[in-house]
Amino acid sequence: GGQPPVRGLRASPRARSAMPSWVIDRYGRNDVLRFTRDMVFPTIHFPNEVIIKVHAASLNPIDLSMRSGYGATALNMKRDPLKLKSADTEFPLTLGRDVSGVVMECGLSVSYFKPGDEVWAAIPPWKQGTLSEFVVASGNEVSFKPKCLSHTEAASLPYVGLTAWSAVNQVGGLNRGNCSGKRVLILGASGGVGTFAVQLVKAWGAHVTAVCSHDASALMKKLGADDVIDYKSGNLEEQLKALPLFDFILDNVGGSTEKWALDLLKKWSGATYVTLVTPFLINMDKLGVADGMLQTGVTVGSKTIKHLFKGVHYRWAFFMPSGPSLDEIAELVDSGKV
């Protein structure tokens, strides 16, 4: 008693060894999900990490895919690139990417956050997920939660928001300074990523054309879309070709759409098509790491060059964890623009 705290150490709650979680012990359907109160409590291994007490988490399509084993080859390589551990080291695996909660403990190099801060984050899929009482995250993956949202509301946004941000900003090159007046087409606009992307580019001043089913038309208008196209009301390709050409296309649909969508872009003007539907993880699951990466590289390289000769840019985009991007998203949410 009365001893000064040792410099460099942070006080933490009494040690715990286990916590409740939803986990899977093998890949499969919903019956592989198991609730346990004995999941290993997360620990800080690196000085830039924080432990978050989860107040709310949410589910995304990637959680269903990962439950079934999608991307396991690539994700296991990311978890253990040197193959230092034995097989099946990912189990028991906790799913869930989104989290809104409160910082419980900080690593020694974390200065931006402190215990008690309300934060949100999207945890990358190669890490243990958020369907737990606590989760560990890198400080650069975490951001202060928007003040205007409850934890439950906030937990619905980080993964889809960062996926859209990656596609539109980091890969597509659009930002608040260069988006004004640009014609943007969003295919599959009524999903999680699409609804966020519509609001994002609209907040930056773009003219937005949203493609969705008729029952989502009112929502698209409410979110700010200038034109709404019902893909069930006729030949979608012909409907879109009747409109002026676009500066940017975000494709959340993939498949046959890719065969004609790039013809809707303005040629030789820097116009860009970005798709979130890529074969990267599937290739690695089917062909293994080396052959899968080679096949993926050949595919994206050949498509990029082919379309470059036609005067448009072709890009693939993926979710990227980013606290600084979440800072900007939080600003848009608190200002009422998202």
Side-chain angles (χ1 to χ4, degrees):
Q3 292 288 330
V6 178
R7 187 164 66 159
L9 294 179
R10 306 223 177 163
S12 63
R14 64 184 179 83
R16 296 180 53 170
S17 59
M19 65 176 177
S21 294
W22 280 97
V23 301
I24 61 173
D25 301 302
R26 66 185 191 282
Y27 297 117
R29 302 181 67 81
N30 276 346
D31 59 358
V32 302
L33 286 163
R34 173 173 66 90
F35 180 73
T36 177
R37 295 191 177 277
D38 298 317
M39 185 62 176
V40 176
F41 193 84
T43 55
I44 289 175
H45 291 288
F46 300 100
N48 69 330
E49 290 181 331
V50 299
I51 295 176
I52 300 169
K53 179 173 176 57
V54 179
H55 282 230
S58 69
L59 289 171
N60 290 284
I62 190 174
D63 295 306
L64 273 72
S65 300
M66 286 179 64
R67 179 211 64 197
S68 303
Y70 169 75
T73 302
L75 295 175
N76 282 338
M77 185 186 73
K78 179 71 175 174
R79 292 178 184 117
D80 187 14
L82 299 179
K83 297 192 175 179
L84 298 175
K85 301 174 186 173
S86 60
D88 292 342
T89 53
E90 72 264 39
F91 299 120
L93 180 64
T94 306
L95 301 175
R97 310 275 50 97
D98 289 312
V99 59
S100 182
V102 174
V103 174
M104 189 191 85
E105 193 163 354
C106 299
L108 294 179
S109 71
V110 175
S111 57
Y112 198 57
F113 303 103
K114 65 183 186 304
D117 285 341
E118 293 193 333
V119 295
W120 65 343
I123 310 299
W126 54 87
K127 294 185 178 181
Q128 289 286 19
T130 62
L131 303 183
S132 276
E133 189 179 10
F134 296 91
V135 66
V136 67
S138 298
N140 55 10
E141 296 164 355
V142 180
S143 168
F144 291 107
K145 177 183 77 67
K147 294 180 178 62
C148 69
L149 298 185
S150 68
H151 283 295
T152 304
E153 291 167 334
S156 70
L157 269 175
Y159 188 81
V160 293
L162 287 172
T163 303
W165 189 277
S166 164
V168 171
N169 175 261
Q170 292 172 289
V171 175
L174 297 183
N175 56 57
R176 70 179 73 191
N178 68 8
C179 208
S180 180
K182 284 202 164 113
R183 288 183 52 78
V184 173
L185 171 64
I186 298 177
L187 300 163
S190 61
V193 174
T195 51
F196 187 91
V198 167
Q199 297 173 84
L200 178 63
V201 294
K202 194 63 195 171
W204 288 345
H207 179 284
V208 182
T209 300
V211 174
C212 59
S213 59
H214 176 71
D215 58 3
S217 296
L219 172 63
M220 290 298 102
K221 285 289 187 183
K222 184 180 177 184
L223 296 181
D226 299 283
D227 296 322
V228 181
I229 308 292
D230 176 9
Y231 69 87
K232 295 180 179 177
S233 65
N235 185 302
L236 177 59
E237 182 180 353
E238 296 306 319
Q239 290 184 75
L240 291 172
K241 281 184 175 175
L243 300 175
L245 293 172
F246 295 94
D247 298 287
F248 182 87
I249 296 174
L250 174 61
D251 188 354
N252 299 296
V253 178
S256 61
T257 310
E258 190 176 296
K259 295 175 182 174
W260 50 263
L262 284 101
D263 294 331
L264 305 171
L265 290 170
K266 297 174 183 175
K267 305 295 186 289
W268 307 109
S269 66
T272 304
Y273 165 93
V274 176
T275 179
L276 286 162
V277 185
T278 75
F280 176 64
L281 294 179
I282 293 173
N283 281 347
M284 293 184 73
D285 286 340
K286 285 183 177 177
L287 304 173
V289 174
D291 288 346
M293 291 181 75
L294 179 62
Q295 179 65 52
T296 301
V298 169
T299 301
V300 70
S302 61
K303 287 185 176 183
T304 300
I305 292 169
K306 180 179 85 170
H307 292 298
L308 203 54
F309 280 122
K310 295 181 180 179
V312 296
H313 296 288
Y314 175 95
R315 300 278 189 271
W316 287 357
F318 307 89
F319 159 78
M320 296 184 206
S322 171
S325 296
L326 276 177
D327 289 345
E328 296 196 57
I329 291 170
E331 191 180 314
L332 288 166
V333 171
D334 277 331
S335 66
K337 294 177 180 175
V338 170

